[in-house]
């Protein structure tokens, strides 16, 4: 069966992009808004899902994307930056004086048109909107749909007095899509025009198991899904759709099915879709090119494009759910591997857990047992051991055990002599006949210094001497071991 995620990505290929989606956004650059000092968003799929911890600016990106187009006609709506980001007494600096947004729009000749929106201080307004292309924009924030029983509008307050003036069945596709997402079966789904005391409105009713009920007796998840599906099926093709946490109030399988629905409606109606989400189930349904993780670091925000679902959930759960478990022989291997991962990708390091297991035979036994439990697992053995990449068994750089690699490294020797006043060549002669697994313990007793601290210091120096190719030769296969 054809994977619809691949179909979606093929529609986004440069030679197909304009025909399928028109002048969609291919990037936007946000500078000086809220927590975004300089954030560059590169769009690699018709669907873009921003995930990350609360407070990393996901909603800000959605709001600024909503301000990317002029309206298509008098009946349509357009959004401006001021609709979402306002300054005032309690919010003196939601944006910097020189804040700006650069939008990149795909053109028919496969080039990108740039439009910059900047702040005009004398006039206290944003300028540059007139150069934007036109497009229908649908923004569904958290307040988009509230259950009618909570809104308490005239339909609920006068439930027994309203008059139904017209009833029309909703499109069959809308009904089927809502049923598939929710995992239920409706015999019918109708739009009702109702009125009371001069007021009119629209209310949806469904028949399920021969019983009819309206939105007034639907839960939030059921009503919200129906509403979003109806809109996405009826708004103009090639619209820009922005959804804030669409998984709200949905059970896990419904979240996954909603992700699949987004792909389906994107393929059929050629919408460009941006969402914010914390849902593992929704993210898993989407192509990897759709996922952008926003990581909060000490130096600012960092975007990770194409993150695996397992890594994203590990990061959003504060490391409680690890994307990968890595088995090593001992603490020296543990510390060396940690420093290699820290040098290569500190975000990836947060998503894995390293376990000190023992010798090769023990690693193989534990790895087999963990695989049987379904845990994502890999092994990194010492440099003098072989690899079996098909079985996710890798090795540290070099051809020696890590103790020997570290203490025979010229830069490590220089560090130990200059900083700790130890001539490592003399030390190595003295322990020549000893088990190399005891070398750092013996060395720490001579200095004296904490053994783990000594290993960490020397490992950092050693890893600093490794080339980018040597680091990537280990790190990239470990990342590839995470499949989801």
């Amino acid at each position: 069966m054809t994977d619809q995620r691949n179909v979606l990505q093929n529609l986004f290929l440069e030679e197909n992009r304009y025909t399928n989606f028109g002048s969609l956004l291919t990037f936007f650059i946000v500078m000086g808004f809220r927590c975004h000092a300089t954030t560059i968003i590169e769009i690699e799929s018709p669907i873009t899902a921003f995930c990350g911890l609360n407070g990393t600016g996901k909603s800000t990106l959605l709001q600024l994307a909503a301000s990317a187009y002029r309206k298509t006609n008098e009946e349509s709506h357009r959004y401006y930056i001021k609709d979402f980001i306002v300054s005032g007494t309690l919010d003196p600096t939601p944006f910097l004086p020189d804040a700006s947004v650069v939008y990149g729009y795909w053109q028919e000749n496969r080039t990108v048109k740039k439009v910059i929106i900047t702040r005009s201080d004398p006039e206290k307004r944003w300028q540059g909107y007139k150069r934007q292309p036109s497009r229908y924009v649908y923004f569904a924030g958290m307040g988009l749909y509230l259950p009618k029983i909570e809104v308490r509008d005239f339909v609920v307050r006068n439930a027994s007095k309203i008059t139904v003036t017209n009833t029309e069945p909703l499109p069959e596709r809308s009904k089927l899509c809502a049923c598939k997402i929710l995992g239920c079966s409706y015999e019918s789904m109708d739009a009702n025009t109702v009125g009371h005391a001069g007021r009119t409105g629209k209310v949806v009713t469904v028949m399920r198991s021969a019983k009819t009920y309206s939105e007034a007796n639907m839960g939030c998840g059921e009503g919200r899904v129906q509403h979003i599906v109806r809109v996405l099926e009826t708004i103009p093709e090639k619209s820009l759709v922005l959804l804030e946490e669409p998984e709200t109030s949905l059970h896990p399988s419904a979240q996954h099915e909603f992700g699949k629905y987004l792909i389906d409606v994107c393929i059929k109606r050629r919408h460009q879709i941006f969402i914010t989400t914390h849902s593992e189930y929704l993210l898993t349904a989407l192509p990897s090119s759709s996922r952008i993780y926003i990581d909060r670091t000490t130096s600012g925000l960092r975007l990770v494009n194409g993150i695996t679902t397992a890594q994203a959930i590990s990061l959003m759960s504060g490391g409680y759910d690890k994307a990968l478990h890595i088995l090593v022989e001992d603490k020296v291997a543990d510390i060396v591997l940690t420093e290699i991962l820290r040098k290569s990708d500190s975000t990836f390091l947060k998503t894995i857990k390293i376990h000190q297991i023992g010798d090769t035979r023990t690693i193989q036994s534990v790895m087999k047992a963990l695989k049987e439990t379904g845990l994502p697992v890999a092994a990194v053995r010492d440099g003098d051991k072989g690899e079996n990449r098909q079985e996710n068994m890798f090795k540290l750089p070099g051809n020696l055990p890590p103790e020997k690699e570290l203490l025979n490294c010229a830069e490590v020797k220089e560090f130990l002599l200059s900083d700790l006043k130890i001539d490592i060549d003399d030390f190595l002669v003295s322990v020549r006949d000893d088990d190399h697994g005891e070398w750092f313990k013996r060395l720490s007793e001579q200095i004296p210094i904490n053994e783990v601290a000594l290993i960490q210091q020397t490992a950092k120096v050693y890893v600093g001497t490794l080339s980018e190719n040597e680091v990537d030769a280990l790190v990239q296969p470990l990342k590839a071991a995470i499949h989801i």
Side-chain angles (χ1 to χ4, degrees), residues 359-377:
D359 61 19
T360 297
R361 180 176 295 182
T362 306
I363 284 179
Q364 290 174 331
S365 174
V366 172
M367 192 167 179
K368 180 181 178 182
L370 288 177
K371 279 185 175 180
E372 290 174 355
T373 69
L375 279 176
V377 60

Side-chain angles (χ1 to χ4, degrees), residues 6 17 49 70 77 131 141 147 159 173 239 263 288-289 469:
N6 294 333
R17 192 176 298 172
R70 293 184 291 116
H77 181 77
R131 295 188 61 241
R173 175 174 157 81
S239 292
I263 294 174
S288 60
S289 299
N469 287 339

Side-chain angles (χ1 to χ4, degrees), residues 23 25 28 63-72 78-81 101-105 107 113-118 126-135 137 240:
S23 188
L25 284 171
F28 58 107
Q63 293 162 358
L64 292 175
S67 309
Y69 291 94
R70 293 184 291 116
K71 62 182 182 179
T72 53
R78 86 142 294 161
Y79 295 95
Y80 296 94
I81 293 174
V101 188
V102 182
Y103 297 103
Y105 305 93
Q107 302 296 290
K113 174 185 176 181
K114 294 181 182 179
V115 175
I116 305 175
I117 307 298
T118 57
W126 299 99
Q127 58 186 12
Y129 292 119
K130 291 182 179 180
R131 295 188 61 241
Q132 293 177 326
S134 299
R135 198 177 194 86
V137 177
L240 175 63

Side-chain angles (χ1 to χ4, degrees), residues 122 181 210 287 329 366 372 390 426:
I181 293 168
E329 292 192 18
V366 172
E372 290 174 355
Q390 287 71 28
D426 289 345

Side-chain angles (χ1 to χ4, degrees), residues 96-112:
L96 299 178
D98 60 348
S100 66
V101 188
V102 182
Y103 297 103
Y105 305 93
W106 191 248
Q107 302 296 290
E108 189 171 9
N109 62 0
R110 301 189 192 179
T111 62
V112 177

Side-chain angles (χ1 to χ4, degrees), residues 197-210:
R199 303 181 67 180
T200 61
K202 293 278 188 180
V203 181
V204 170
T205 55
V206 298
M207 179 180 288
R208 183 178 177 188
S209 301

Side-chain angles (χ1 to χ4, degrees), residues 24 59 78 89 96 115 127 163 189 247 292 314 317 321 323 337 369 375 419 451 478 483:
L24 51 57
S59 296
R78 86 142 294 161
T89 303
L96 299 178
V115 175
Q127 58 186 12
T163 301
M189 180 188 293
E247 72 270 17
I292 299 180
S314 179
S317 68
D321 290 318
L337 177 59
L375 279 176
D419 283 46
E451 182 184 1
L478 286 173
H483 301 293

Side-chain angles (χ1 to χ4, degrees), residues 12-29:
F12 197 68
L13 294 174
E14 287 194 2
E15 58 267 29
N16 304 326
R17 192 176 298 172
Y18 188 84
T19 300
N20 290 325
F21 299 102
S23 188
L24 51 57
L25 284 171
T26 58
F27 74 83
F28 58 107
I29 304 171

